[in-house]
Amino acid sequence: MKRALVSVSDKTGLVEFVKGLVECGYEIISTGGTKKALEEAGLNPIGISDVTGFPEIMDGRVKTLHPKVHGALLCVRDNPEHVKQLQELGIEYIDLVCVNLYPFKETVQKKGVTHEEIIENIDIGGPSMLRSASKNYKSITVVCDPKDYDKVLKEIQKNGDTCPVTREFLAAKVFRHTARYDAMIADYLTKKTGEEFPESLTITFDKVQDLRYGENPHQKAAFYKGMNPQYSLANATQLHGKELSYNNIQDGNAAIEILKDFEGQCAAVGLKHMNPCGVGIGENIEAAWDKAYEADPVSIFGGIVALNDTVEKGLAEKLSKIFLEIIIAPDFTPEALEILTRKKNIRLMKLDTTLSVNTSLKYTNVNDGLLVQEMDMHQIKEEDLRCVTNRKPTPEEIKQLLFGWKVVKHVKSNAIVLVKDDMTIGVGAGQMNRVGSAKIAIEEAGEKAKGSVMASDAFFPMPDTVEEAIKAGVTAIIQPGGSIRDQDSIDVCNEHGIAMVYTGIRHFKH
Protein backbone atom coordinates (compact mmCIF):
# COMPACT_ATOMS: atom_id res chain seq x y z
CA MET A 1 0.00 0.00 0.00
CA LYS A 2 1.27 3.46 -0.91
CA ARG A 3 1.38 6.14 1.78
CA ALA A 4 0.76 9.87 1.67
CA LEU A 5 1.82 12.37 4.32
CA VAL A 6 -0.64 15.26 4.52
CA SER A 7 -0.11 18.37 6.66
CA VAL A 8 -1.55 21.67 5.47
CA SER A 9 -2.44 25.13 6.75
CA ASP A 10 -4.55 25.99 3.70
CA LYS A 11 -7.25 23.32 3.69
CA THR A 12 -8.82 24.37 0.37
CA GLY A 13 -9.87 21.22 -1.51
CA LEU A 14 -8.12 19.02 1.07
CA VAL A 15 -10.91 16.59 1.90
CA GLU A 16 -11.79 15.87 -1.74
CA PHE A 17 -8.13 15.32 -2.58
CA VAL A 18 -7.49 12.96 0.31
CA LYS A 19 -10.71 11.02 -0.35
CA GLY A 20 -9.49 10.52 -3.90
CA LEU A 21 -6.13 9.24 -2.66
CA VAL A 22 -7.84 6.81 -0.29
CA GLU A 23 -10.00 5.51 -3.15
CA CYS A 24 -6.77 4.91 -5.09
CA GLY A 25 -5.45 2.77 -2.21
CA TYR A 26 -3.32 5.30 -0.34
CA GLU A 27 -2.83 5.12 3.41
CA ILE A 28 -2.91 8.63 4.90
CA ILE A 29 -0.54 9.96 7.57
CA SER A 30 -1.43 13.31 9.07
CA THR A 31 -0.66 15.80 11.84
CA GLY A 32 -2.45 18.17 14.23
CA GLY A 33 -5.21 20.28 12.74
CA THR A 34 -5.05 18.51 9.36
CA LYS A 35 -5.67 15.13 11.04
CA LYS A 36 -8.63 16.59 12.93
CA ALA A 37 -10.15 18.05 9.74
CA LEU A 38 -9.83 14.72 7.95
CA GLU A 39 -11.38 12.84 10.87
CA GLU A 40 -14.32 15.25 10.92
CA ALA A 41 -14.82 14.44 7.23
CA GLY A 42 -15.13 10.74 8.06
CA LEU A 43 -11.59 9.74 7.10
CA ASN A 44 -9.26 7.79 9.37
CA PRO A 45 -5.66 9.04 8.99
CA ILE A 46 -2.73 7.67 10.93
CA GLY A 47 -1.24 10.15 13.40
CA ILE A 48 2.38 11.17 12.86
CA SER A 49 3.23 10.01 16.38
CA ASP A 50 2.11 6.48 15.45
CA VAL A 51 4.68 6.55 12.63
CA THR A 52 7.59 8.06 14.55
CA GLY A 53 6.86 6.44 17.92
CA PHE A 54 7.47 9.86 19.44
CA PRO A 55 4.90 12.40 20.63
CA GLU A 56 4.39 15.84 19.10
CA ILE A 57 6.17 18.18 21.50
CA MET A 58 6.64 21.89 22.24
CA ASP A 59 3.14 22.90 21.10
CA GLY A 60 3.64 21.13 17.79
CA ARG A 61 6.98 22.78 17.02
CA VAL A 62 8.54 19.30 16.76
CA LYS A 63 6.53 16.51 15.19
CA THR A 64 7.84 15.58 11.72
CA LEU A 65 11.56 16.25 12.27
CA HIS A 66 12.32 12.55 12.70
CA PRO A 67 14.34 9.87 10.84
CA LYS A 68 11.19 7.80 10.25
CA VAL A 69 9.84 10.72 8.25
CA HIS A 70 12.94 12.06 6.52
CA GLY A 71 14.48 8.60 6.06
CA ALA A 72 11.30 7.61 4.24
CA LEU A 73 11.52 10.74 2.08
CA LEU A 74 15.23 10.77 1.29
CA CYS A 75 15.83 7.06 0.62
CA VAL A 76 17.13 6.52 -2.92
CA ARG A 77 15.03 3.54 -3.89
CA ASP A 78 17.38 2.14 -6.51
CA ASN A 79 20.27 2.23 -4.01
CA PRO A 80 20.36 -1.24 -2.34
CA GLU A 81 22.24 0.09 0.70
CA HIS A 82 19.61 2.79 1.31
CA VAL A 83 16.79 0.25 1.00
CA LYS A 84 18.56 -2.19 3.33
CA GLN A 85 19.01 0.49 6.01
CA LEU A 86 15.35 1.44 5.72
CA GLN A 87 14.27 -2.16 6.20
CA GLU A 88 16.62 -2.72 9.15
CA LEU A 89 15.24 0.39 10.91
CA GLY A 90 11.62 -0.51 10.21
CA ILE A 91 11.01 2.63 8.12
CA GLU A 92 8.31 2.45 5.45
CA TYR A 93 8.28 4.45 2.24
CA ILE A 94 6.26 7.66 1.91
CA ASP A 95 5.16 8.05 -1.72
CA LEU A 96 3.35 11.37 -1.69
CA VAL A 97 3.74 14.52 0.39
CA CYS A 98 0.98 17.13 0.51
CA VAL A 99 2.18 20.09 2.57
CA ASN A 100 1.64 23.82 2.57
CA LEU A 101 3.13 26.20 5.06
CA TYR A 102 2.13 28.34 8.01
CA PRO A 103 0.62 31.61 6.70
CA PHE A 104 3.65 33.82 7.35
CA LYS A 105 2.79 36.52 4.79
CA GLU A 106 -0.81 36.80 6.00
CA THR A 107 0.36 36.96 9.61
CA VAL A 108 2.83 39.79 8.93
CA GLN A 109 0.10 41.81 7.22
CA LYS A 110 -2.42 41.40 10.05
CA LYS A 111 -3.29 44.63 11.83
CA GLY A 112 -1.88 44.76 15.35
CA VAL A 113 0.11 41.53 15.00
CA THR A 114 2.91 41.00 17.54
CA HIS A 115 6.48 40.01 16.78
CA GLU A 116 5.98 36.84 18.84
CA GLU A 117 3.00 35.81 16.71
CA ILE A 118 4.98 36.42 13.55
CA ILE A 119 7.87 34.27 14.77
CA GLU A 120 5.48 31.44 15.69
CA ASN A 121 4.29 31.43 12.07
CA ILE A 122 7.73 30.56 10.74
CA ASP A 123 7.25 26.98 9.57
CA ILE A 124 10.19 24.63 10.11
CA GLY A 125 8.87 21.09 9.66
CA GLY A 126 6.84 21.90 6.54
CA PRO A 127 9.71 23.28 4.41
CA SER A 128 11.94 20.44 5.63
CA MET A 129 9.47 17.79 4.42
CA LEU A 130 8.89 19.59 1.14
CA ARG A 131 12.60 19.91 0.44
CA SER A 132 13.40 16.31 1.39
CA ALA A 133 10.62 14.91 -0.77
CA SER A 134 11.42 17.23 -3.69
CA LYS A 135 15.08 16.24 -3.63
CA ASN A 136 13.80 12.68 -4.15
CA TYR A 137 11.19 13.58 -6.78
CA LYS A 138 12.21 10.60 -8.94
CA SER A 139 10.25 8.47 -6.48
CA ILE A 140 7.99 10.89 -4.57
CA THR A 141 5.15 13.19 -5.62
CA VAL A 142 5.20 16.51 -3.75
CA VAL A 143 2.20 18.85 -3.72
CA CYS A 144 2.40 22.32 -2.12
CA ASP A 145 -0.39 24.09 -4.02
CA PRO A 146 -4.09 23.12 -3.87
CA LYS A 147 -4.37 24.15 -7.53
CA ASP A 148 -2.38 21.00 -8.42
CA TYR A 149 -4.66 18.55 -6.58
CA ASP A 150 -6.84 17.75 -9.61
CA LYS A 151 -3.88 17.20 -11.95
CA VAL A 152 -2.14 14.86 -9.47
CA LEU A 153 -5.28 12.92 -8.62
CA LYS A 154 -6.25 12.40 -12.25
CA GLU A 155 -2.80 10.99 -13.08
CA ILE A 156 -2.90 8.64 -10.11
CA GLN A 157 -6.43 7.50 -10.98
CA LYS A 158 -5.41 6.86 -14.58
CA ASN A 159 -1.90 5.42 -14.19
CA GLY A 160 -1.53 4.43 -10.52
CA ASP A 161 1.10 7.16 -10.04
CA THR A 162 2.20 10.51 -11.36
CA CYS A 163 4.55 10.60 -14.33
CA PRO A 164 8.22 11.67 -13.99
CA VAL A 165 7.62 14.94 -15.85
CA THR A 166 4.86 15.91 -13.42
CA ARG A 167 6.97 15.02 -10.39
CA GLU A 168 9.83 17.16 -11.70
CA PHE A 169 7.43 20.06 -12.40
CA LEU A 170 6.02 19.80 -8.86
CA ALA A 171 9.50 19.62 -7.30
CA ALA A 172 10.57 22.79 -9.09
CA LYS A 173 7.41 24.48 -7.84
CA VAL A 174 8.20 23.39 -4.28
CA PHE A 175 11.66 24.93 -4.34
CA ARG A 176 10.21 28.19 -5.70
CA HIS A 177 7.61 28.00 -2.92
CA THR A 178 10.13 27.46 -0.11
CA ALA A 179 12.51 30.06 -1.57
CA ARG A 180 9.65 32.58 -1.58
CA TYR A 181 8.77 31.64 1.99
CA ASP A 182 12.35 32.08 3.20
CA ALA A 183 12.63 35.37 1.29
CA MET A 184 9.58 36.75 3.11
CA ILE A 185 11.02 35.78 6.50
CA ALA A 186 14.40 37.26 5.61
CA ASP A 187 12.72 40.47 4.44
CA TYR A 188 10.75 40.84 7.67
CA LEU A 189 13.72 40.25 9.97
CA THR A 190 16.08 42.38 7.85
CA LYS A 191 13.68 45.31 8.01
CA LYS A 192 13.23 44.78 11.73
CA THR A 193 16.98 45.08 12.27
CA GLY A 194 17.02 48.27 10.19
CA GLU A 195 19.50 47.00 7.59
CA GLU A 196 18.65 48.64 4.24
CA PHE A 197 21.27 47.09 1.99
CA PRO A 198 22.26 43.62 3.31
CA GLU A 199 25.14 41.55 1.92
CA SER A 200 22.68 39.51 -0.16
CA LEU A 201 19.19 40.33 -1.32
CA THR A 202 16.37 37.95 -2.13
CA ILE A 203 13.04 39.42 -3.16
CA THR A 204 9.90 37.55 -4.10
CA PHE A 205 6.95 38.31 -6.37
CA ASP A 206 3.73 36.45 -7.19
CA LYS A 207 2.37 36.26 -10.72
CA VAL A 208 -0.69 38.39 -11.39
CA GLN A 209 -1.10 37.42 -15.04
CA ASP A 210 0.60 36.51 -18.27
CA LEU A 211 0.65 39.42 -20.71
CA ARG A 212 -0.07 39.24 -24.42
CA TYR A 213 3.47 40.53 -25.05
CA GLY A 214 6.07 42.91 -23.65
CA GLU A 215 7.09 46.34 -24.92
CA ASN A 216 6.87 44.94 -28.45
CA PRO A 217 4.89 42.01 -29.91
CA HIS A 218 7.96 39.78 -30.29
CA GLN A 219 8.75 39.93 -26.53
CA LYS A 220 7.11 37.57 -24.01
CA ALA A 221 6.05 39.12 -20.70
CA ALA A 222 4.21 38.59 -17.40
CA PHE A 223 3.10 40.81 -14.50
CA TYR A 224 4.14 40.00 -10.91
CA LYS A 225 3.27 41.72 -7.65
CA GLY A 226 5.35 42.16 -4.51
CA MET A 227 4.51 41.41 -0.91
CA ASN A 228 2.72 44.65 -0.13
CA PRO A 229 0.96 45.89 -3.27
CA GLN A 230 -1.54 48.35 -1.81
CA TYR A 231 -0.52 51.29 -4.01
CA SER A 232 -0.04 49.27 -7.15
CA LEU A 233 -1.94 48.36 -10.27
CA ALA A 234 -1.54 44.79 -9.04
CA ASN A 235 -4.08 45.70 -6.36
CA ALA A 236 -6.47 47.57 -8.67
CA THR A 237 -9.88 46.25 -9.65
CA GLN A 238 -10.48 46.33 -13.39
CA LEU A 239 -14.09 47.34 -13.98
CA HIS A 240 -14.08 47.33 -17.77
CA GLY A 241 -12.00 46.88 -20.91
CA LYS A 242 -9.26 44.75 -22.39
CA GLU A 243 -6.50 43.21 -20.29
CA LEU A 244 -3.67 45.54 -19.37
CA SER A 245 -0.59 45.35 -21.56
CA TYR A 246 3.05 45.63 -20.49
CA ASN A 247 3.19 49.27 -21.62
CA ASN A 248 -0.17 50.03 -19.98
CA ILE A 249 1.18 48.84 -16.64
CA GLN A 250 4.39 50.85 -17.00
CA ASP A 251 2.47 54.01 -17.87
CA GLY A 252 -0.21 53.43 -15.24
CA ASN A 253 2.43 53.03 -12.58
CA ALA A 254 4.15 56.26 -13.65
CA ALA A 255 0.82 58.11 -13.49
CA ILE A 256 -0.09 56.99 -9.97
CA GLU A 257 3.44 57.81 -8.81
CA ILE A 258 2.81 61.43 -9.78
CA LEU A 259 -0.48 61.51 -7.85
CA LYS A 260 1.37 60.57 -4.65
CA ASP A 261 2.87 64.06 -4.55
CA PHE A 262 -0.56 65.74 -4.57
CA GLU A 263 -1.98 64.35 -1.36
CA GLY A 264 -4.80 66.54 -0.10
CA GLN A 265 -5.35 68.23 -3.48
CA CYS A 266 -7.65 67.28 -6.35
CA ALA A 267 -5.18 66.31 -9.06
CA ALA A 268 -5.42 64.87 -12.57
CA VAL A 269 -2.55 63.38 -14.55
CA GLY A 270 -2.44 62.73 -18.27
CA LEU A 271 0.51 60.55 -19.27
CA LYS A 272 2.14 59.09 -22.39
CA HIS A 273 5.23 56.92 -22.62
CA MET A 274 6.18 57.30 -18.94
CA ASN A 275 6.12 61.12 -19.03
CA PRO A 276 3.28 63.44 -17.97
CA CYS A 277 1.79 65.33 -20.89
CA GLY A 278 -0.57 67.26 -18.63
CA VAL A 279 -1.01 67.72 -14.88
CA GLY A 280 -3.62 69.93 -13.26
CA ILE A 281 -4.97 70.71 -9.81
CA GLY A 282 -8.33 72.30 -9.05
CA GLU A 283 -11.08 72.86 -6.52
CA ASN A 284 -12.63 69.57 -7.67
CA ILE A 285 -11.50 66.65 -9.80
CA GLU A 286 -13.35 67.81 -12.91
CA ALA A 287 -11.64 71.21 -12.75
CA ALA A 288 -8.30 69.46 -12.28
CA TRP A 289 -8.95 67.33 -15.37
CA ASP A 290 -9.91 70.37 -17.43
CA LYS A 291 -6.47 71.83 -16.73
CA ALA A 292 -4.63 68.56 -17.37
CA TYR A 293 -6.40 68.21 -20.72
CA GLU A 294 -5.88 71.83 -21.73
CA ALA A 295 -2.16 71.44 -20.97
CA ASP A 296 -1.71 69.23 -24.05
CA PRO A 297 -4.89 68.09 -25.83
CA VAL A 298 -2.82 66.54 -28.63
CA SER A 299 -0.50 64.27 -26.66
CA ILE A 300 -3.23 62.90 -24.39
CA PHE A 301 -4.72 61.01 -27.39
CA GLY A 302 -4.22 57.31 -26.59
CA GLY A 303 -2.85 58.18 -23.15
CA ILE A 304 -3.37 57.24 -19.52
CA VAL A 305 -5.42 59.31 -17.09
CA ALA A 306 -4.99 59.02 -13.30
CA LEU A 307 -7.23 60.87 -10.87
CA ASN A 308 -7.35 61.04 -7.09
CA ASP A 309 -11.10 61.51 -6.66
CA THR A 310 -14.29 59.79 -7.79
CA VAL A 311 -15.30 60.12 -11.45
CA GLU A 312 -18.85 61.46 -11.72
CA LYS A 313 -21.19 61.92 -14.69
CA GLY A 314 -19.91 65.33 -15.87
CA LEU A 315 -16.27 64.26 -15.90
CA ALA A 316 -17.13 60.91 -17.51
CA GLU A 317 -18.81 62.72 -20.42
CA LYS A 318 -15.63 64.74 -21.02
CA LEU A 319 -13.36 61.70 -20.76
CA SER A 320 -15.57 59.68 -23.11
CA LYS A 321 -14.96 62.17 -25.93
CA ILE A 322 -11.23 61.32 -26.06
CA PHE A 323 -9.49 58.10 -27.05
CA LEU A 324 -7.85 56.92 -23.82
CA GLU A 325 -6.17 53.63 -22.97
CA ILE A 326 -6.79 53.65 -19.20
CA ILE A 327 -8.59 55.70 -16.56
CA ILE A 328 -7.46 55.08 -12.98
CA ALA A 329 -9.51 56.51 -10.12
CA PRO A 330 -10.55 55.68 -6.55
CA ASP A 331 -14.13 55.09 -7.78
CA PHE A 332 -16.66 55.69 -10.53
CA THR A 333 -20.32 56.55 -9.95
CA PRO A 334 -22.90 54.28 -11.67
CA GLU A 335 -23.72 57.10 -14.08
CA ALA A 336 -20.05 57.54 -14.94
CA LEU A 337 -19.60 53.81 -15.52
CA GLU A 338 -22.65 53.70 -17.78
CA ILE A 339 -21.12 56.44 -19.96
CA LEU A 340 -17.53 55.15 -20.02
CA THR A 341 -18.37 51.47 -20.59
CA ARG A 342 -19.97 52.36 -23.89
CA LYS A 343 -16.39 52.32 -25.14
CA LYS A 344 -15.53 48.65 -25.56
CA ASN A 345 -11.77 48.70 -25.07
CA ILE A 346 -11.05 51.43 -22.51
CA ARG A 347 -9.64 50.03 -19.27
CA LEU A 348 -11.32 51.38 -16.15
CA MET A 349 -9.24 50.70 -13.05
CA LYS A 350 -10.47 51.26 -9.50
CA LEU A 351 -7.57 51.97 -7.14
CA ASP A 352 -7.35 54.05 -3.99
CA THR A 353 -5.00 56.72 -5.32
CA THR A 354 -5.46 58.71 -2.10
CA LEU A 355 -3.46 56.21 -0.05
CA SER A 356 -0.63 57.65 2.01
CA VAL A 357 2.30 55.42 1.07
CA ASN A 358 5.98 55.23 1.79
CA THR A 359 7.52 52.62 -0.47
CA SER A 360 11.06 52.39 0.81
CA LEU A 361 13.09 50.86 -2.04
CA LYS A 362 13.13 51.00 -5.83
CA TYR A 363 14.58 48.15 -7.90
CA THR A 364 16.01 48.56 -11.40
CA ASN A 365 17.46 45.61 -13.27
CA VAL A 366 20.60 45.85 -15.38
CA ASN A 367 22.44 43.08 -17.20
CA ASP A 368 23.06 40.37 -14.60
CA GLY A 369 22.51 42.86 -11.79
CA LEU A 370 20.05 44.84 -9.75
CA LEU A 371 20.27 48.47 -8.71
CA VAL A 372 18.52 49.22 -5.42
CA GLN A 373 17.86 52.69 -4.05
CA GLU A 374 15.48 54.51 -1.75
CA MET A 375 12.40 55.84 -3.51
CA ASP A 376 12.52 59.56 -4.26
CA MET A 377 9.90 60.67 -1.71
CA HIS A 378 11.46 64.07 -1.01
CA GLN A 379 9.03 66.96 -0.73
CA ILE A 380 9.88 70.68 -0.82
CA LYS A 381 8.02 73.32 1.19
CA GLU A 382 8.11 77.07 0.80
CA GLU A 383 10.45 77.50 3.76
CA ASP A 384 12.98 75.18 2.06
CA LEU A 385 13.41 77.51 -0.91
CA ARG A 386 16.39 79.85 -1.13
CA CYS A 387 16.00 82.91 -3.33
CA VAL A 388 19.28 83.74 -5.09
CA THR A 389 18.15 86.69 -7.22
CA ASN A 390 17.50 90.34 -6.46
CA ARG A 391 13.81 89.92 -7.17
CA LYS A 392 11.95 87.55 -4.89
CA PRO A 393 9.06 85.48 -6.28
CA THR A 394 5.53 86.63 -5.51
CA PRO A 395 3.23 84.38 -3.41
CA GLU A 396 1.47 83.23 -6.59
CA GLU A 397 4.79 82.47 -8.27
CA ILE A 398 5.86 80.44 -5.24
CA LYS A 399 2.65 78.41 -5.44
CA GLN A 400 3.27 77.68 -9.13
CA LEU A 401 6.97 76.95 -8.58
CA LEU A 402 6.14 74.34 -5.93
CA PHE A 403 3.56 72.79 -8.25
CA GLY A 404 6.11 72.67 -11.08
CA TRP A 405 8.67 71.10 -8.76
CA LYS A 406 6.27 68.25 -7.93
CA VAL A 407 5.75 67.54 -11.62
CA VAL A 408 9.34 67.87 -12.90
CA LYS A 409 10.40 65.19 -10.40
CA HIS A 410 8.47 62.65 -12.51
CA VAL A 411 9.69 63.74 -15.96
CA LYS A 412 12.59 61.88 -17.56
CA SER A 413 15.89 63.77 -17.33
CA ASN A 414 16.90 66.19 -18.65
CA ALA A 415 13.56 67.63 -17.55
CA ILE A 416 12.02 71.09 -17.90
CA VAL A 417 8.41 71.91 -17.00
CA LEU A 418 6.54 75.18 -17.54
CA VAL A 419 3.58 75.86 -15.24
CA LYS A 420 0.85 78.48 -15.12
CA ASP A 421 -2.50 78.69 -13.32
CA ASP A 422 -2.13 75.30 -11.56
CA MET A 423 -1.43 73.36 -14.73
CA THR A 424 1.48 72.30 -16.85
CA ILE A 425 1.69 74.16 -20.13
CA GLY A 426 4.94 72.72 -21.49
CA VAL A 427 6.96 69.57 -20.74
CA GLY A 428 10.43 68.91 -22.12
CA ALA A 429 11.68 65.41 -21.33
CA GLY A 430 14.65 63.14 -21.84
CA GLN A 431 16.92 65.34 -23.94
CA MET A 432 20.68 65.01 -23.96
CA ASN A 433 21.09 68.67 -22.99
CA ARG A 434 18.97 70.86 -20.73
CA VAL A 435 18.45 73.70 -23.16
CA GLY A 436 17.00 71.19 -25.64
CA SER A 437 14.36 70.18 -23.08
CA ALA A 438 13.64 73.86 -22.40
CA LYS A 439 13.09 74.60 -26.08
CA ILE A 440 10.62 71.69 -26.35
CA ALA A 441 8.66 72.86 -23.29
CA ILE A 442 8.62 76.46 -24.52
CA GLU A 443 7.51 75.47 -28.02
CA GLU A 444 4.71 73.35 -26.56
CA ALA A 445 3.57 76.21 -24.32
CA GLY A 446 3.54 78.77 -27.14
CA GLU A 447 1.97 82.08 -26.13
CA LYS A 448 0.99 80.60 -22.74
CA ALA A 449 4.68 80.71 -21.76
CA LYS A 450 4.35 84.42 -21.05
CA GLY A 451 3.90 84.84 -17.31
CA SER A 452 4.65 81.18 -16.56
CA VAL A 453 7.25 79.69 -14.22
CA MET A 454 9.89 77.10 -15.04
CA ALA A 455 11.02 74.04 -13.08
CA SER A 456 14.26 72.18 -13.82
CA ASP A 457 15.08 68.79 -12.29
CA ALA A 458 18.80 69.62 -12.05
CA PHE A 459 21.05 72.68 -12.11
CA PHE A 460 21.91 74.82 -15.13
CA PRO A 461 25.52 74.18 -16.22
CA MET A 462 25.40 77.40 -18.25
CA PRO A 463 22.93 80.30 -18.64
CA ASP A 464 21.51 79.25 -22.03
CA THR A 465 18.38 77.66 -20.50
CA VAL A 466 17.66 80.81 -18.49
CA GLU A 467 18.13 82.92 -21.62
CA GLU A 468 15.54 80.79 -23.48
CA ALA A 469 13.14 81.12 -20.54
CA ILE A 470 13.47 84.92 -20.52
CA LYS A 471 12.83 85.14 -24.27
CA ALA A 472 9.66 83.09 -23.76
CA GLY A 473 8.34 85.33 -20.99
CA VAL A 474 9.00 83.12 -17.96
CA THR A 475 8.93 85.18 -14.75
CA ALA A 476 10.35 82.77 -12.14
CA ILE A 477 12.50 79.63 -12.04
CA ILE A 478 12.98 76.79 -9.56
CA GLN A 479 16.07 74.59 -9.78
CA PRO A 480 18.43 72.75 -7.41
CA GLY A 481 21.48 74.99 -7.81
CA GLY A 482 24.99 73.65 -7.34
CA SER A 483 26.75 74.30 -10.66
CA ILE A 484 30.20 75.88 -10.59
CA ARG A 485 28.67 78.41 -13.03
CA ASP A 486 25.54 79.20 -10.98
CA GLN A 487 26.45 82.88 -10.86
CA ASP A 488 26.19 83.16 -14.66
CA SER A 489 22.51 82.14 -14.52
CA ILE A 490 21.87 84.36 -11.50
CA ASP A 491 23.38 87.36 -13.31
CA VAL A 492 21.13 86.83 -16.36
CA CYS A 493 18.06 86.58 -14.11
CA ASN A 494 19.01 89.79 -12.29
CA GLU A 495 19.61 91.59 -15.56
CA HIS A 496 16.03 90.84 -16.67
CA GLY A 497 14.23 90.99 -13.32
CA ILE A 498 13.55 87.26 -13.13
CA ALA A 499 13.14 85.53 -9.74
CA MET A 500 15.03 82.28 -9.18
CA VAL A 501 14.95 79.95 -6.17
CA TYR A 502 17.14 76.99 -5.26
CA THR A 503 15.90 73.78 -3.64
CA GLY A 504 19.27 72.20 -2.86
CA ILE A 505 17.77 68.90 -4.08
CA ARG A 506 17.84 67.45 -7.58
CA HIS A 507 15.40 64.94 -9.11
CA PHE A 508 17.23 63.01 -11.84
CA LYS A 509 14.99 60.33 -13.37
CA HIS A 510 16.65 58.00 -15.86
Side-chain angles (χ1 to χ4, degrees):
M1 180 179 285
K2 289 191 173 184
R3 298 198 306 167
L5 197 164
V6 183
S7 179
V8 296
S9 293
D10 179 359
K11 296 177 175 56
T12 304
L14 171 70
V15 171
E16 294 79 7
F17 180 57
V18 172
K19 280 182 178 178
L21 292 176
V22 170
E23 289 169 2
C24 291
Y26 275 73
E27 185 176 63
I28 307 299
I29 305 164
S30 195
T31 68
T34 305
K35 181 173 181 289
K36 182 179 178 183
L38 294 175
E39 287 171 340
E40 289 172 351
L43 296 163
N44 189 30
I46 300 168
I48 194 69
S49 296
D50 296 324
V51 173
T52 62
F54 203 91
E56 296 186 23
I57 62 172
M58 301 174 186
D59 301 317
R61 277 190 167 203
V62 181
K63 51 194 173 192
T64 58
L65 297 169
H66 194 281
K68 286 200 171 180
V69 174
H70 288 275
L73 298 178
L74 288 166
C75 171
V76 179
R77 299 187 186 186
D78 56 5
N79 183 323
E81 192 58 35
H82 281 204
V83 175
K84 179 183 175 185
Q85 288 178 29
L86 219 64
Q87 291 169 345
E88 289 173 349
L89 295 168
I91 300 175
E92 298 182 48
Y93 291 140
I94 294 174
D95 304 283
L96 185 146
V97 169
C98 176
V99 169
N100 55 58
L101 309 177
Y102 294 170
F104 182 83
K105 176 182 176 181
E106 293 77 6
T107 302
V108 168
Q109 292 178 347
K110 274 170 53 179
K111 193 172 182 179
V113 69
T114 64
H115 175 65
E116 289 70 24
E117 187 179 353
I118 290 170
I119 294 300
E120 279 307 308
N121 275 277
I122 296 176
D123 202 328
I124 301 301
S128 300
M129 287 187 289
L130 287 174
R131 289 172 62 83
S132 291
S134 294
K135 181 175 180 177
N136 206 16
Y137 71 85
K138 286 177 66 176
S139 303
I140 300 174
T141 302
V142 194
V143 191
C144 65
D145 185 350
K147 292 177 183 157
D148 294 318
Y149 288 171
D150 284 347
K151 175 182 176 67
V152 168
L153 197 54
K154 283 176 182 176
E155 283 196 23
I156 292 173
Q157 288 168 339
K158 183 178 179 181
N159 305 314
D161 200 356
T162 53
C163 70
V165 171
T166 296
R167 290 197 294 275
E168 188 171 51
F169 165 81
L170 293 170
K173 191 169 189 177
V174 161
F175 283 112
R176 292 195 301 271
H177 184 63
T178 56
R180 171 184 180 272
Y181 196 76
D182 284 341
M184 290 189 294
I185 297 166
D187 179 71
Y188 168 73
L189 289 172
T190 300
K191 285 177 179 173
K192 192 171 187 303
T193 61
E195 190 163 6
E196 268 193 310
F197 302 109
E199 77 290 340
S200 64
L201 181 67
T202 305
I203 53 179
T204 183
F205 296 87
D206 296 326
K207 186 188 277 188
V208 176
Q209 65 191 84
D210 288 310
L211 301 174
R212 285 177 295 154
Y213 52 81
E215 283 183 293
N216 301 290
H218 62 277
Q219 295 170 272
K220 293 181 180 179
F223 182 28
Y224 290 80
K225 66 179 177 181
M227 279 185 62
N228 196 32
Q230 277 90 352
Y231 197 73
S232 164
L233 290 184
N235 200 41
T237 300
Q238 184 162 351
L239 303 177
H240 178 73
K242 296 188 296 184
E243 281 190 358
L244 294 175
S245 71
Y246 182 98
N247 293 333
N248 289 156
I249 294 167
Q250 286 268 61
D251 286 341
N253 183 72
I256 64 174
E257 281 292 301
I258 297 171
L259 283 183
K260 282 197 301 194
D261 281 328
F262 291 94
E263 188 177 343
Q265 297 174 288
C266 287
V269 175
L271 187 136
K272 278 284 276 295
H273 302 299
M274 302 288 286
N275 280 302
C277 54
V279 180
I281 56 175
E283 60 185 18
N284 57 54
I285 198 63
E286 187 173 343
W289 163 249
D290 289 343
K291 291 180 178 180
Y293 175 71
E294 186 185 341
D296 189 347
V298 175
S299 296
I300 191 58
F301 182 85
I304 309 292
V305 172
L307 310 155
N308 62 3
D309 204 355
T310 299
V311 178
E312 297 184 347
K313 181 181 177 181
L315 177 53
E317 288 173 342
K318 293 178 179 180
L319 292 168
S320 69
K321 293 175 182 176
I322 312 159
F323 168 57
L324 298 170
E325 290 278 0
I326 308 176
I327 302 172
I328 306 166
D331 210 349
F332 299 79
T333 64
E335 295 83 4
L337 279 175
E338 194 278 326
I339 292 165
L340 292 169
T341 53
R342 293 173 194 164
K343 293 199 163 189
K344 181 179 178 182
N345 293 327
I346 190 171
R347 289 95 163 172
L348 303 179
M349 309 298 295
K350 181 178 175 180
L351 176 69
D352 188 356
T353 49
T354 67
L355 279 173
S356 179
V357 290
N358 185 19
T359 307
S360 57
L361 296 176
K362 179 180 178 64
Y363 304 99
T364 303
N365 67 302
V366 294
N367 289 343
D368 197 31
L370 188 72
L371 290 170
V372 183
Q373 66 172 344
E374 293 180 335
M375 291 288 285
D376 185 357
M377 306 292 289
H378 195 276
Q379 298 269 359
I380 285 287
K381 298 177 182 176
E382 182 177 346
E383 54 266 32
D384 300 319
L385 302 178
R386 180 167 69 93
C387 184
V388 294
T389 51
N390 295 334
R391 184 173 85 77
K392 298 186 182 305
T394 66
E396 177 60 24
E397 284 174 332
I398 289 174
K399 178 186 174 187
Q400 300 305 316
L401 289 168
L402 291 171
F403 172 67
W405 188 249
K406 287 180 179 180
V407 176
V408 79
K409 166 183 173 181
H410 298 280
V411 178
K412 295 283 188 180
S413 300
N414 288 312
I416 295 289
V417 171
L418 296 187
V419 166
K420 188 177 182 180
D421 299 329
D422 297 335
M423 58 184 277
T424 58
I425 57 170
V427 178
Q431 299 305 299
M432 284 64 73
N433 61 72
R434 193 155 299 280
V435 72
S437 291
K439 287 177 178 178
I440 290 171
I442 290 166
E443 181 181 356
E444 183 181 307
E447 287 300 312
K448 293 178 184 176
K450 292 179 181 178
S452 69
V453 305
M454 173 183 282
S456 173
D457 66 334
F459 62 59
F460 301 135
M462 52 192 68
D464 49 3
T465 301
V466 174
E467 289 164 352
E468 291 295 329
I470 291 166
K471 283 191 289 185
V474 169
T475 65
I477 297 171
I478 186 170
Q479 59 127 324
S483 168
I484 59 172
R485 298 184 62 183
D486 271 349
Q487 193 58 49
D488 292 352
S489 294
I490 294 170
D491 290 344
V492 173
C493 285
N494 285 334
E495 184 182 340
H496 293 86
I498 302 298
M500 184 159 66
V501 297
Y502 285 179
T503 63
I505 291 288
R506 78 175 190 198
H507 284 306
F508 273 164
K509 186 178 181 187
H510 283 81

